[in-house]
């Protein structure tokens, strides 16, 4: 399941609020990546492997509004909820031959870290440390005021180290825009709900 949320805070005319929200939604809906030879928007993503490439190739280039009507305030937060990977499943031999991987129960409680093993002298990446160990949630922030190459290097690292994988159950992307002409704040959110059987 994919949901899209856009909240607008404004004191005054509704038409200006709608135009600001529509401008952001239209811009995000136009963000496309090519996946398996097909152009894909966030609404058409069908596989967890498409999420990070869409963030990198679709979302990041759209964060800077060329006409400067909408300005991103602060950062974009990308958050995920993870389940536990349980290698011991109660599966019949027939099912085990089909699925072949560990179980992914819905309960992510107790997951505090995941990701690649680091040497004792290497810094731990905060994106792989839970923001809430009770619920297995992890997040990273996109600093839109940095250069696209710096942002893409960070995203490439997260992709290479498997920040989103089969244990990911939800991914939430959210940010806040300001319409500098009309003084309207617009909060956007995109939610990806990942089920074992697909989106």
């Amino acid at each position: 399941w994919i949901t899209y949320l856009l909240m607008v805070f404004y004191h005054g005319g509704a038409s200006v609020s709608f135009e600001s929200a529509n401008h952001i939604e239209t811009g995000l809906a136009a963000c496309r990546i090519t996946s398996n030879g097909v152009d894909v928007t966030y609404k058409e993503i069908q596989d967890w492997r498409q999420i990070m490439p869409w963030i990198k190739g679709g979302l990041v280039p759209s964060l800077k509004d060329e006409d400067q009507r909408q300005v991103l305030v602060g950062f974009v937060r990308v958050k995920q909820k993870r389940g536990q990977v349980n290698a011991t499943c109660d599966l019949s031999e027939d099912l085990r031959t089909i699925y072949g991987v560990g179980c992914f129960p819905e309960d992510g409680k107790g997951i505090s870290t995941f990701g690649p093993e680091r040497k004792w002298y290497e810094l731990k990446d905060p994106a792989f440390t839970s923001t809430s160990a009770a619920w297995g949630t992890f997040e990273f922030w996109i600093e839109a005021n940095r250069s696209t190459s710096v942002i893409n290097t960070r995203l490439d690292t997260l992709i290479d180290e498997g920040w989103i994988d089969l244990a990911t159950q939800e991914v939430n992307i959210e940010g806040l825009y300001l319409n500098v002409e009309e003084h309207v704040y617009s909060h956007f959110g995109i939610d990806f709900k990942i089920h074992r059987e697909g989106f």
Side-chain angles (χ1 to χ4, degrees), residues 8-10 16-17 20 70 177-179 182-186:
V8 178
F9 303 95
Y10 181 67
V16 174
S17 299
S20 291
Q70 304 279 351
Y177 277 97
L178 167 65
N179 182 322
E182 303 293 340
H183 307 289
V184 176
Y185 286 93
S186 303

Side-chain angles (χ1 to χ4, degrees), residues 35 44 54 86 115 145 173:
S35 177
E44 300 162 336
W54 179 83
N86 182 355
N145 61 340
I173 304 167

Side-chain angles (χ1 to χ4, degrees), residues 111-139:
I111 301 172
S112 58
T113 61
F114 76 103
E117 291 290 323
R118 306 230 185 254
K119 306 268 192 250
W120 65 270
Y121 54 83
E122 292 179 315
L123 293 175
K124 293 191 189 269
D125 189 333
F128 293 93
T129 302
S130 180
T131 57
S132 170
W135 298 107
T137 57
F138 300 81
E139 66 186 25

Side-chain angles (χ1 to χ4, degrees), residues 162-186:
W163 193 76
I164 294 178
D165 61 14
L166 284 170
T168 302
Q169 296 175 345
E170 297 177 17
V171 176
N172 171 265
I173 304 167
E174 61 182 340
L176 184 69
Y177 277 97
L178 167 65
N179 182 322
V180 293
E181 295 172 351
E182 303 293 340
H183 307 289
V184 176
Y185 286 93
S186 303

Side-chain angles (χ1 to χ4, degrees), residues 60 63-64 74-75 141-152 154:
V60 169
L63 292 178
K64 295 181 173 95
F75 308 104
W141 299 79
I142 298 173
E143 301 176 61
N145 61 340
R146 291 190 175 244
S147 71
T148 302
S149 64
V150 170
I151 295 171
N152 285 342
R154 173 68 173 136

Side-chain angles (χ1 to χ4, degrees), residues 88-108:
T88 57
C89 303
D90 253 352
L91 296 177
S92 68
E93 279 303 315
D94 293 335
L95 287 176
R96 199 167 308 202
T97 58
I98 294 170
Y99 294 106
V101 295
C103 294
F104 299 91
E106 193 171 331
D107 182 7

